Amino acid sequence: MKYSNREEHFDAIIVGSGTCGATIAKELSKQNKRVLILERGGNGPLKESLMGYAKISNEIRVTNKLKDLRAFTTGGTTAMYFAVADSPPIKTFQDMGIDLTEDLEQVRKELPVAEISDALIGGQAKRLGESARQLGYDWEKKLMLIDQSKFNHKNYYEVKWKARVFVEEALRNGAVLVNQATVSKAILDNKKAIGVEYYIGKKKKVFKAYGEKIILAAGSLATPIILKNSGVKNVVNHGFYINPSIGLIGKVSDLSSEENFCGCMGAKLDDDIELMDANFHRFLFNMGMIVSAKPFRIASYPKHIGITVKVKEAVGGELTEKGKYYKKLTEDDHKKLKKGIEAANRILKNAGARKIFKTSLISGGALGTIRIKEQIDENFQTQYNNLYVCDGSILPDSDRVTPTLTLVCLAKYLSRHLIAS
Ligand SMILES: Cc1cc2nc3c(=O)[nH]c(=O)nc-3n(C[C@H](O)[C@H](O)[C@H](O)COP(=O)(O)OP(=O)(O)OC[C@H]3O[C@@H](n4cnc5c(N)ncnc54)[C@H](O)[C@@H]3O)c2cc1C
């Protein structure tokens, strides 16, 4: 989409077109608001392939050893997520004066939120679930954002809900999207935000756009940097969390199955440990084996089963003066991981798995860099009038969930507030 008059004035400028940005763009444009979306990534077709992922993925360091993965493209990180959809922690938000009940009700009508039907649970996931239940684990189905009515046993990627569909709706409503536009800071006038500065592609020539409301939805690690560049002090002053995660994969000789929506089941253990089904469909399994330097396992994909161990680590870390993130996992975090790995090993072995190996430890998604009631108020406005934040940065650490469904609700909540005001 071309955007020739770069100094036009908008009702709202939305920075980032991911889960939150796309939702807000759709909601505001539906009410005939003039919306500009500035998106750092491109707008190429989304494809689940090595090249398709390589074009949009971006990693950012969060500990001395771990990097966080995100996607730069129209629709943001939903372009490569698993579509697991925990329910929002309604009570936690209510306690902060934020009522998401109405938003959740609407979201449930608009999005394909449901547990996977039994018929779509693959043999690998079934075997894993049986083993976990035999050992006494509360292994339950999870909600997912998948259009099961369109599933044809091949199109795992296509049937996942992606935020890009909301951007497309916003564009049909008249919103303007500029791709390859990296926002560096908000333009402030006294105590008020009046616009943003951005550059296109790698060229550092600065452009300016002006609007009534400026909404930062660039993701939990990008938004704090924009705030910091804009002169906001003490960003990320409480640190953040990354839910460190590790996979365990094993081979079961008498199994042969290929039907799996990864993450469709799991169990919560004591001590903030969660076990999740990690039975991928073939493409993601192949990618995982290449990354884990086990390419010879690819041929026997139907015999492999896997579990992800995810733990809640202590909140901490910082955004340094140089604009880099840093946090250190504690001994206690590693103890939780060890306990989770032992449980996962038991379940895999009981399912008949042998030759079990561990994948590398990864960041399970850096979130919670900004606190509601401290850096932003209950309408997500910063200390500057008309400057708002709505993305993974504002998710509280007390009640951690897989974020997408909660983020869509938070974006709807902010949109309601902006429309009313
Ligand atoms: C492999 C993987 C699997 C996942 N699986 C799940 C899952 O099953 N369930 C779940 O709920 N969550 C999952 N997640 C996490 C989930 O996708 C993200 O938490 C969620 O998409 C975050 O939404 P957001 O709006 O905060 O940011 P994003 O969706 O990341 O969107 C931010 C957007 O802002 C753009 N941007 C960044 N910086 C700038 C800038 N300076 N200027 C302009 N634009 C900018 C980016 O390009 C991006 O489009 C997964 C994540 C990964 C990586």
Side-chain angles (χ1 to χ4, degrees):
M1 163 84 58
K2 285 222 165 74
Y3 172 47
S4 51
N5 184 3
R6 295 209 160 101
E7 301 222 341
E8 213 176 331
H9 197 275
F10 289 85
D11 292 325
I13 297 177
I14 301 171
V15 179
S17 69
T19 311
C20 290
T23 308
I24 299 163
K26 183 194 81 137
E27 294 295 320
L28 297 188
S29 61
K30 207 161 65 181
Q31 300 299 323
N32 297 321
K33 301 289 176 200
R34 288 164 42 74
V35 172
L36 172 65
I37 311 164
L38 296 171
E39 166 53 52
R40 179 177 184 154
N43 198 27
L46 297 178
K47 239 177 138 193
E48 193 177 55
S49 66
L50 222 46
M51 270 312 284
Y53 271 31
K55 275 186 194 154
I56 61 172
S57 60
N58 175 275
E59 286 187 312
I60 175 165
R61 190 167 288 287
V62 283
T63 78
N64 53 344
K65 293 200 177 126
L66 309 184
K67 288 180 181 169
D68 196 69
L69 182 61
R70 56 190 177 171
F72 286 167
T73 183
T74 306
T77 308
T78 55
M80 52 197 293
Y81 79 150
F82 299 137
V84 178
D86 284 345
S87 291
I90 296 283
K91 171 81 174 58
T92 304
F93 283 105
Q94 254 162 8
D95 293 345
M96 291 189 274
I98 298 162
D99 190 358
L100 298 178
T101 329
E102 181 186 330
D103 306 289
L104 179 59
E105 224 169 86
Q106 267 190 31
V107 171
R108 278 183 172 276
K109 284 185 199 145
E110 272 177 57
L111 298 188
V113 191
E115 291 176 353
I116 291 290
S117 74
D118 284 345
L120 299 191
I121 295 181
Q124 288 138 309
K126 272 192 188 135
R127 174 68 71 94
L128 191 71
E130 281 159 15
S131 169
R133 279 183 224 106
Q134 259 175 23
L135 294 175
Y137 292 99
D138 217 354
W139 199 260
E140 290 183 335
K141 279 190 190 174
K142 295 221 160 219
L143 293 173
M144 298 203 82
L145 283 160
I146 285 174
D147 189 345
Q148 298 180 49
S149 67
K150 297 218 172 87
F151 183 57
N152 64 13
H153 302 272
K154 288 195 183 89
N155 55 352
Y156 291 95
Y157 183 69
E158 289 72 21
V159 291
K160 284 182 206 169
W161 175 82
K162 299 177 195 68
R164 192 178 273 207
V165 293
F166 279 1
V167 179
E168 286 162 354
E169 194 175 330
L171 297 184
R172 286 195 295 277
N173 294 339
V176 176
L177 166 68
V178 184
N179 284 103
Q180 316 287 0
T182 303
V183 171
S184 46
K185 63 177 185 176
I187 304 170
L188 302 171
D189 180 14
N190 203 3
K191 285 253 159 233
K192 193 166 135 191
I194 55 166
V196 293
E197 283 189 10
Y198 66 99
Y199 56 89
I200 299 282
K202 292 201 167 74
K203 290 190 195 130
K204 298 281 175 177
K205 180 174 178 227
V206 174
F207 296 98
K208 292 179 181 173
Y210 294 93
E212 284 302 308
K213 308 280 179 194
I214 313 298
I215 300 129
L216 303 182
S220 49
L221 298 176
T223 285
I225 293 174
I226 299 172
L227 285 174
K228 188 170 183 289
N229 292 344
S230 312
V232 177
K233 301 261 181 284
N234 301 324
V235 194
V236 200
N237 58 348
H238 292 284
F240 54 95
Y241 59 95
I242 63 167
N243 294 326
S245 304
I246 191 163
L248 276 85
I249 316 273
K251 193 172 166 187
V252 182
S253 55
D254 65 332
L255 192 63
S256 182
S257 161
E258 302 217 4
E259 301 267 313
N260 292 290
F261 282 102
C262 173
C264 67
M265 287 194 272
K268 288 199 167 134
L269 278 53
D270 296 338
D271 295 333
D272 298 332
I273 301 166
E274 191 174 350
L275 302 181
M276 286 170 69
D277 173 282
N279 292 302
F280 301 99
H281 60 274
R282 190 178 271 276
F283 169 76
L284 287 179
F285 179 83
N286 293 356
M287 287 246 296
M289 291 309 103
I290 291 165
V291 171
S292 302
K294 307 263 181 221
F296 48 89
R297 299 252 184 166
I298 287 174
S300 52
Y301 158 69
K303 296 191 179 306
H304 278 88
I305 59 174
I307 299 187
T308 299
V309 177
K310 181 162 100 175
V311 304
K312 286 185 194 171
E313 93 287 20
V315 175
E318 59 174 335
L319 174 60
T320 66
E321 267 314 301
K322 289 188 175 156
K324 306 274 180 220
Y325 287 94
Y326 179 75
K327 100 172 274 189
K328 207 168 179 230
L329 294 184
T330 64
E331 218 174 280
D332 197 41
D333 303 330
H334 285 289
K335 269 189 200 153
K336 287 183 193 173
L337 278 162
K338 190 166 173 261
K339 201 170 162 189
I341 290 168
E342 282 164 7
N345 243 316
R346 269 197 302 280
I347 297 171
L348 288 174
K349 282 187 181 153
N350 186 51
R354 302 290 174 263
K355 295 186 178 167
I356 299 168
F357 73 92
K358 283 189 278 188
T359 63
S360 309
L361 185 64
I362 56 165
S363 160
L367 297 164
T369 40
I370 288 169
R371 284 208 172 163
I372 298 172
K373 299 266 190 189
E374 288 191 31
Q375 285 100 349
I376 55 171
D377 66 18
E378 65 275 15
N379 291 318
F380 311 161
Q381 188 167 232
T382 63
Q383 68 194 81
Y384 294 102
N385 281 336
N386 298 340
L387 182 61
Y388 296 81
V389 172
C390 186
D391 56 26
S393 58
I394 66 171
L395 292 174
D397 64 82
S398 53
D399 211 344
R400 301 184 200 177
V401 290
T402 52
T404 304
L405 201 53
T406 305
L407 292 175
V408 178
C409 291
L410 290 170
K412 279 208 171 245
Y413 168 88
L414 173 60
S415 305
R416 277 199 289 129
H417 168 76
L418 293 176
I419 290 161
S421 67

